[in-house]
Amino acid sequence: QVQLVESGGGLVRTGGSRRLSCAPSGGIGGHVAMAWFRQAPGKERVFVAAISFRGDVTLYADSVKGRFTVSRDNTKNTVDLQMNSLKPEDSAAYYCAAGPRSGDWGLPVYNYWGQGTQVTVIS
């Protein structure tokens, strides 16, 4: 069974940067969009960013526009999330997802998910 493996989480100070990476443990069939979601304790999982297979279309949540950048390497089927100017409200478990089952990539309905990597932003 294909799983996505995230890395790069950790502790960072307000205003700092962090880069998350996501790689599949096996092959993902087809040309699929990939995305990042995040979930804070006691809250729902929410959309952060998504990228088309070719990388020519990117989508961002309003809360991260101008600070986060999503990119991908199709030779490895990996997706990265560069996070700059981090704020305490960005603290959450970040999840990688691949293969949206909906035309709305912002919905958390994807075929594949990772286990999440924790990002904690401190003052």
Side-chain angles (χ1 to χ4, degrees):
Q1 184 176 354
V2 176
Q3 276 196 327
L4 302 175
V5 181
E6 302 99 337
S7 61
L11 203 63
V12 61
R13 293 202 177 272
T14 298
S17 298
R18 202 80 183 179
R19 189 176 185 89
L20 305 182
S21 294
C22 169
S25 60
I28 296 179
H31 297 171
V32 298
M34 298 182 76
W36 288 94
F37 288 76
R38 66 187 182 187
Q39 187 169 18
K43 295 188 177 181
E44 293 184 346
R45 190 170 297 188
V46 297
F47 172 75
V48 175
I51 187 167
S52 62
F53 172 74
R54 291 186 180 86
D56 55 342
V57 176
T58 55
L59 300 173
Y60 295 94
D62 287 344
S63 59
V64 306
K65 277 181 184 175
R67 300 188 298 123
F68 290 12
T69 302
V70 61
S71 60
R72 68 185 296 164
D73 180 346
N74 284 340
T75 64
K76 303 174 184 176
N77 236 354
T78 57
V79 61
D80 288 354
L81 185 69
Q82 177 65 42
M83 306 184 295
N84 298 327
S85 302
L86 284 162
K87 307 173 183 179
E89 51 263 43
D90 293 318
S91 297
Y94 282 72
Y95 296 88
C96 175
R101 299 204 303 269
S102 167
D104 182 351
W105 292 353
L107 294 177
V109 284
Y110 282 69
N111 286 321
Y112 306 106
W113 287 92
Q115 295 300 307
T117 185
Q118 180 68 35
V119 174
T120 303
V121 184
I122 58 174
S123 301

